[in-house]
Amino acid sequence: MPRFRTRLYTAAALLAAMVTFAPGGADAAPLPSFPIGAPRFTVDVHSAAADPGYIYYSSGLSAAAVVPRASRVLASIPAAASANIVVDKSGREVWRYTPPPGQDVSNFRPQTYQGRRVLTWWQGDSRSGHGSGADFIADEHGHIIETFDAGGHPSDVHEFRITPDGRALITSYRRRQADLSAIGGPKDGKMFDTVAAVVDIATKRVLSEWSAAAHVPLADSISPKMPGTDAYDPYHMNSIALSPDGNLLISMRNTAAVYEVDIHTGKILWQLGGKHPTLTAGPGVDFAFQHDAEFADPATLRLFNNNSSGTQTRGPSGAQWIHLDLAARRATLVRNQIHPEGLTAFAMGSVQPTPNGNTLVGWGMAPHISEFTPTGRMVFDARLPLGSYRAFPSTWAPTT
């Protein structure tokens, strides 16, 4: 076997071994999908019904941030090198950005800032499932034009979204001492608070911050302490978007819940999922460890349901559309799109609309990127060497 592939599958064995799977047996819980894919970006399905544009994604060690010790092995694998990548639907790489040695990149996407097309990403150091770094904006040729953080606090890898009026929604992790006795921990413990920061990009001024620890009880967490870390991560905020009324829509993996938060007061207006939901979930509205929660339309929530944390697996992952009737305080499942292979991603993942009306799904640590029609037909599917945090469709690609 070639040295490249040997190293790839050595890393696969390490990644698999470091996730605490359920024991075998007829009554055992289902297992997450194997976290290693093809030796290179490999297109297996490409129908004429697929969107003809491009796919943006990041490769690199951030894909293994949830298994910190894997980085030493992955660093020696070419396919695991940190990079922002754009491919066309044939799988041909058309653009790449490689960060300086020792730095990682993630959450690479096309956005609009001040009326023009830009490239955005997070860059820094990723460990134990989150990041410490900065957010970057580059022009459509890849020339960096803005770099900033959360007002002197490091930006986290999970979210960097530009609003139409020039604000940035970014995640930031804050390590602090905490009384963890409510969840059986020490009174003088250590934990990560997760903050949703709203930053004015032009001035770099922080307009508002929302602290998960200030608004969500520790006992709402469903996550055990991660091995290899000395601080508890009870919340793990992984997406921030605007709701139709201009408030914050926040997803937190480690409470398995999505929240609408008043952007001015910080009050939680409603909660879907988790231990104390305020919306009644109809049949099939059952998600856990979810990512990338956004509004598909003013009354429909769209998210990636991981359905697994690695240590807890409830079934296949899927892209979900959920109708919200806020007057009746009720949530109804519209559609749950799973992969034909029943992929289960124990971390990361995204669901994004394509320009032609399809949906592009990044399967996170189950290293696939797929496209589905509104009827659920898979019209594109590619395997990656490792997972990618998110995948984004676009009609344009950067030029050098």
Side-chain angles (χ1 to χ4, degrees), residues 354-390:
T354 64
N356 71 345
N358 291 341
T359 301
L360 189 75
V361 181
W363 296 93
M365 285 296 285
H368 283 246
I369 296 174
S370 310
E371 184 178 332
F372 298 90
T373 66
T375 62
R377 181 165 65 98
M378 188 171 73
V379 292
F380 177 85
D381 190 48
R383 288 173 290 137
L384 289 66
L386 297 171
S388 184
Y389 174 55
R390 288 174 173 172

Side-chain angles (χ1 to χ4, degrees), residues 58-61 74-75 77-85 96 98-99 104-105 386:
S58 296
S59 67
L61 302 182
L74 292 172
I77 300 170
S82 296
N84 294 328
I85 299 170
R96 173 183 287 254
T98 302
D104 192 18
V105 291
L386 297 171

Side-chain angles (χ1 to χ4, degrees), residues 199-212:
V199 179
D200 178 77
I201 297 174
T203 64
K204 311 298 190 295
R205 185 167 64 94
V206 176
L207 303 176
S208 67
E209 292 185 330
W210 186 83
S211 159

Side-chain angles (χ1 to χ4, degrees), residues 212-242:
H215 294 88
V216 180
L218 277 174
D220 279 12
S221 180
I222 63 171
S223 178
K225 184 175 179 292
M226 182 180 289
T229 64
D230 64 347
Y232 183 49
D233 184 7
Y235 304 113
H236 203 88
M237 186 186 304
N238 57 28
S239 73
I240 314 168
L242 291 181

Side-chain angles (χ1 to χ4, degrees), residues 41-297:
F41 193 100
T42 302
V43 177
D44 295 319
V45 177
H46 187 192
S47 162
D51 187 87
Y54 301 91
I55 297 173
Y56 288 57
Y57 73 100
S58 296
S59 67
L61 302 182
S62 65
V66 290
V67 278
R69 292 188 297 273
S71 62
R72 291 193 297 272
V73 173
L74 292 172
S76 66
I77 300 170
S82 296
N84 294 328
I85 299 170
V86 181
V87 296
D88 63 20
K89 284 299 181 62
S90 72
R92 179 177 64 93
E93 185 176 304
V94 299
W95 193 85
R96 173 183 287 254
Y97 165 80
T98 302
Q103 296 211 331
D104 192 18
V105 291
S106 193
N107 202 20
F108 174 51
R109 65 188 296 181
Q111 297 201 69
T112 301
Y113 176 57
Q114 295 182 336
R116 58 176 169 162
R117 302 187 302 195
V118 294
L119 310 171
T120 68
W121 67 89
W122 170 90
Q123 184 170 314
D125 177 42
S126 57
R127 61 184 67 188
S128 305
H130 57 87
S132 177
D135 294 303
F136 285 62
I137 302 177
D139 65 21
E140 58 187 304
H141 306 294
H143 303 130
I144 295 169
I145 57 178
E146 297 279 2
T147 305
F148 59 97
D149 57 20
H153 295 281
S155 295
D156 166 57
V157 64
H158 286 95
E159 189 63 88
F160 172 26
R161 186 187 305 268
I162 298 176
T163 66
D165 59 357
R167 293 173 292 165
L169 311 180
I170 61 178
T171 47
S172 180
Y173 278 66
R174 314 282 170 86
R175 182 188 175 97
R176 64 182 183 85
Q177 297 294 122
D179 181 356
L180 304 179
S181 57
I183 53 174
K187 290 184 67 66
D188 59 346
K190 299 175 183 177
M191 65 167 279
F192 288 105
D193 185 13
T194 315
V195 171
V198 181
V199 179
D200 178 77
I201 297 174
T203 64
K204 311 298 190 295
R205 185 167 64 94
V206 176
L207 303 176
S208 67
E209 292 185 330
W210 186 83
S211 159
H215 294 88
V216 180
L218 277 174
D220 279 12
S221 180
I222 63 171
S223 178
K225 184 175 179 292
M226 182 180 289
T229 64
D230 64 347
Y232 183 49
D233 184 7
Y235 304 113
H236 203 88
M237 186 186 304
N238 57 28
S239 73
I240 314 168
L242 291 181
S243 67
D245 51 8
N247 290 315
L248 299 179
L249 181 73
I250 292 175
S251 166
M252 294 202 293
R253 166 190 167 101
N254 286 353
T255 62
V258 176
Y259 310 79
E260 184 181 13
V261 171
D262 188 298
I263 197 168
H264 302 293
T265 68
K267 179 183 178 181
I268 295 174
L269 302 176
W270 55 258
Q271 174 182 331
L272 180 63
K275 291 183 178 180
H276 301 103
T278 62
L279 302 184
T280 300
V285 181
D286 183 16
F287 55 84
F289 313 105
Q290 76 290 334
H291 285 73
D292 198 19
E294 303 179 43
F295 275 93
D297 63 47

